Amino acid sequence: MVGDLTPPGKSCGDCGLCCKLMGVTALEKPAGKWCRHFSKAGGCAVYVDRPGDCRVFNCLWLLTDALDETWKPTTAGFVLHSEQGGARLIVESDPARPHDWRREPYQSTLRRWAATAGQEVLVFAGQRGVRLGQADTPVRRV
């Protein structure tokens, strides 16, 4: 939940996929493992007092009106977030569903975004990933 920045009609609800995929140093929570504070029934148990890592996370589905329910992380199988002022789009794939980004409408849309001048699109499943482009190139997290 992001509060006032969230477009009307959108909420995390029972999603919480970011609570699995993202690492949270302050909670000693590794990426790819469910956070001990999250439950589908109750969401984040420490939401009001959540650490800064969680507060600054930008789930693009939640924050972007242009992304419909098809792009909700639990439906898509990945979480979208950005870095470098939006110039880098990160697709965090659920390791249990590492190839879901290849389904449509995702793959063609991600590739179209990657072809936009000044836009980089990285798709990760754990430590391994790919930079989308005319010729996709493998990348690893540092």
Side-chain angles (χ1 to χ4, degrees):
M1 288 191 233
V2 180
D4 295 339
L5 300 175
T6 305
K10 283 194 175 180
S11 70
C12 298
D14 66 353
C15 179
L17 192 55
C18 61
C19 298
K20 175 184 181 184
L21 300 182
M22 308 308 297
V24 182
T25 305
L27 298 174
E28 297 179 3
K29 188 207 111 28
K33 303 285 183 192
W34 280 105
C35 180
R36 66 184 179 276
H37 299 292
F38 176 79
S39 74
K40 281 192 173 240
C44 177
V46 296
Y47 184 77
V48 173
D49 298 316
R50 69 197 183 281
D53 292 359
C54 300
R55 288 183 187 278
V56 300
F57 180 73
N58 61 351
C59 172
L60 292 181
W61 173 78
L62 192 61
L63 296 174
T64 307
D65 243 350
L67 296 175
D68 64 17
E69 290 294 314
T70 307
W71 291 84
K72 186 173 183 176
T74 49
T75 302
F78 53 81
V79 174
L80 296 174
H81 64 101
S82 63
E83 295 177 347
Q84 298 180 349
R88 176 180 289 156
L89 176 67
I90 309 290
V91 180
E92 300 283 354
S93 299
D94 185 345
R97 303 166 59 181
H99 303 292
D100 278 8
W101 71 272
R102 294 180 185 270
R103 296 181 296 131
E104 293 302 336
Y106 312 120
Q107 181 169 205
S108 60
T109 303
L110 293 169
R111 290 189 180 283
R112 187 175 71 246
W113 292 341
T116 304
Q119 181 69 63
E120 180 180 35
V121 177
L122 302 175
V123 180
F124 286 100
Q127 295 297 313
R128 303 177 86 176
V130 62
R131 176 178 290 108
L132 300 184
Q134 250 182 311
D136 294 348
T137 55
V139 293
R140 289 190 64 80
R141 292 192 197 271
V142 278

